Amino acid sequence: MDARGWAARGVFVVTALAVVATSPARWAITAEPPRTQVPPNRAMLLTIEASHRPNVTSQRASGESGWLAPVDAAQEKPWPGRAEYVIPAGDKLNGVSIYDVCTNAGMCDGRCAPPPGAFVRIVGVEAVTEWTLTAESAPQTVTLAPEQDARFEVVIEATRAAEVRGRSSGNDAELLDTALGYDAPTLRYQSEDAGAPSKTKIVTWRMKWDVAKEIGKRTIAWTAVATIRGFCRGDGECKPPENESIKIISVTPAAPLGQAPLAP
Amino acid sequence: MKREPLLHPVALAAIALLIANDHVLKSRWPGFVTGKLSDVAGMIFFPLFAFVVVRAAGRIARRDFAARGALVACAAVTAIAFALVKTWAPARDAFEMALGAARWPIGAVRALLAGEAPRFARAAIVMDASDLIALPFVLVAIAISPFRVRDDRVDDLRPDARRQLVPHLGDEE
């Protein structure tokens, strides 16, 4: 057998091992759910202590789930051992957990115990009142074609980590995608840049699969909505601090994956 | 010369990316990007890997088939299976069991060496429909395939099998 043949067989074996060893088993610890409840019209401030950076997940009334970032984005990396998270009013806490891959790279065969000293616990629950600041873009339009995504870069300037959503209404909203498991109309957004004053978010639109072929191309009207949130302790009036701000700088078409940009 | 799809630089890079991402990057930088990288890498190299298996099976069974067609079929099956595993719980469960079974021999050896009884453990696969953004990368596997012609045949059959299948081939090799 020549060297190329041996190389091919070697790569085959390595590939087989890589496939088998993928998705390594993880250990996980889930925190006890909070026993204290807050009124449904109040947000919930959780104080969490953990040995590893926790995953705090919540579910919106719309059914959409996601990860929460700490109130102070600077607390996320490196993990300081303790941080606060706010569950917005009306949202539901899904869970608080820590996890990591087994140190023996996925071959742990069910004996994947957490390392000594690993823990996560909710040490405080407090009802707080949320404030929000919202900015909206000028009305946008996009012509959607079946099997083709439309992506937009939304550049915002904000004093804290912001959420950006696309909003459409009426019949347009009913046409838009739920294929990715989110409530329509919605979007995916990059969230790994929390804390930067200026951020680019990606808004992705797609028509529902079941209607796209029937209606062909369709021009949809939509608006980008950017929001920052904070909270006030106590029961008094809660307004955004004067030094907080958010604005949408631009909304521009971005190239769909592997395709040329669509006209807005 | 045999054409070895797994030796293409893009395929090698995808395999290296899978290993690095699963065992280093995901734990150091968990997030959206590292959550998708392995899926993208898998979509690129797995159809080629599956093709090599199919080609080997063809050799054993002395069956001739169009190489490019087989590769396209491997890519299609890879994409469909990936989509099912990521979106349909029964498919995810079945894949977890299959992957757990594939891992079992290694785990069993480790357990025996440690003086413990081997146990079966299913793998852990996260169902996440947003992972389907990796699906288009299956086309990369076809694009980098060394089999360009539609009726290109599997080319590493044993010489006797080749003579049997292609009588005019002669003994020049």
Side-chain angles (χ1 to χ4, degrees):
Chain A
M1 188 187 301
D2 61 6
R4 189 176 173 82
W6 282 111
R9 281 159 177 77
V11 170
F12 180 84
V13 171
V14 169
T15 306
L17 290 174
V19 170
V20 170
T22 194
S23 302
R26 297 169 185 268
W27 59 263
I29 301 176
T30 302
E32 289 282 325
R35 293 176 186 167
T36 310
Q37 298 297 319
V38 300
N41 61 339
R42 306 286 304 279
M44 180 162 59
L45 177 68
L46 291 177
T47 305
I48 295 170
E49 290 181 351
S51 56
H52 297 62
R53 186 169 62 87
N55 292 279
V56 183
T57 57
S58 70
Q59 187 173 34
R60 295 198 165 125
S62 63
E64 183 182 359
S65 294
W67 284 280
L68 291 175
V71 170
D72 181 357
Q75 289 181 323
E76 192 160 30
K77 293 176 183 177
W79 171 244
R82 179 187 176 102
E84 293 177 325
Y85 296 77
V86 171
I87 315 293
D91 288 9
K92 174 185 160 194
L93 176 66
N94 275 350
V96 178
S97 62
I98 57 173
Y99 63 82
D100 203 351
V101 296
C102 297
T103 52
N104 54 356
M107 303 294 183
C108 38
D109 195 30
R111 293 182 299 281
C112 184
F119 72 94
V120 57
R121 53 182 170 252
I122 299 171
V123 296
V125 179
E126 184 181 346
V128 295
T129 305
E130 258 198 313
W131 58 259
T132 59
L133 268 181
T134 299
E136 293 192 9
S137 71
Q140 310 286 319
T141 58
V142 57
T143 300
L144 291 173
E147 301 173 5
Q148 189 173 26
D149 287 355
R151 302 171 76 235
F152 291 86
E153 287 187 1
V154 181
V155 179
I156 61 169
E157 199 172 276
T159 48
R160 59 175 65 199
E163 175 189 277
V164 179
R165 312 191 125 248
R167 187 178 68 202
S168 191
S169 60
N171 291 335
D172 286 349
E174 294 172 6
L175 298 174
L176 294 168
D177 167 69
T178 55
L180 294 176
Y182 299 112
D183 232 29
T186 188
L187 53 86
R188 286 170 280 161
Y189 53 90
Q190 296 174 335
S191 59
E192 294 175 6
D193 52 356
S198 177
K199 311 173 190 71
T200 300
K201 309 282 186 178
I202 303 293
V203 177
T204 301
W205 293 105
R206 179 190 287 176
M207 278 191 283
K208 285 181 180 176
W209 289 354
D210 55 343
V211 299
K213 287 186 178 176
E214 292 178 16
I215 64 174
K217 283 190 176 181
R218 180 73 167 246
T219 299
I220 306 283
W222 69 284
T223 306
V225 182
T227 306
I228 57 174
R229 301 168 184 274
F231 66 91
C232 310
R233 286 191 155 91
D235 296 330
E237 187 181 18
C238 184
K239 288 183 176 177
E242 289 185 357
N243 60 347
E244 299 283 357
S245 65
I246 183 169
K247 62 181 176 182
I248 293 179
I249 306 298
S250 64
V251 180
T252 53
L257 293 174
Q259 299 169 30
L262 285 174
Chain B
M1 185 170 64
K2 292 176 187 174
R3 287 168 285 185
E4 300 292 351
L6 282 175
L7 292 185
H8 191 284
V10 174
L12 292 173
I15 295 164
L17 176 63
L18 176 82
I19 295 170
N21 192 53
D22 275 357
H23 300 294
V24 180
L25 303 181
K26 273 184 181 175
S27 55
R28 290 194 182 178
W29 296 286
F32 181 84
V33 174
T34 51
K36 308 302 177 205
L37 276 181
S38 291
D39 297 328
V40 170
M43 285 295 102
I44 294 172
F45 80 76
F46 194 84
L48 305 173
F49 176 76
F51 170 79
V52 172
V53 174
V54 168
R55 185 175 62 178
R59 279 181 64 184
I60 294 169
R62 298 196 174 189
R63 296 289 298 272
D64 185 33
F65 48 81
R68 185 167 175 79
L71 179 60
V72 171
C74 288
V77 170
T78 298
I80 292 168
F82 178 77
L84 287 174
V85 165
K86 289 294 181 180
T87 57
W88 192 40
R92 188 273 314 270
D93 292 346
F95 185 67
E96 286 185 338
M97 297 298 286
L99 198 51
R103 284 180 183 171
W104 185 84
I106 300 172
V109 170
R110 290 173 62 95
L112 291 172
L113 290 176
E116 300 173 8
R119 292 190 307 171
F120 178 80
R122 63 196 284 175
I125 303 294
V126 175
M127 278 180 66
D128 182 354
S130 71
D131 289 345
L132 300 187
I133 64 170
L135 277 179
F137 287 89
V138 79
L139 298 175
V140 175
I142 298 171
I144 66 174
S145 154
F147 310 108
R148 298 290 175 205
V149 184
R150 186 175 295 275
D151 60 353
D152 205 356
R153 314 306 288 179
V154 168
D155 59 351
D156 65 346
L157 297 173
R158 295 191 189 97
D160 58 336
R162 296 185 69 179
R163 278 194 294 274
Q164 178 186 341
L165 296 164
V166 191
H168 65 273
L169 189 62
D171 294 318
E172 69 278 12
E173 60 183 2

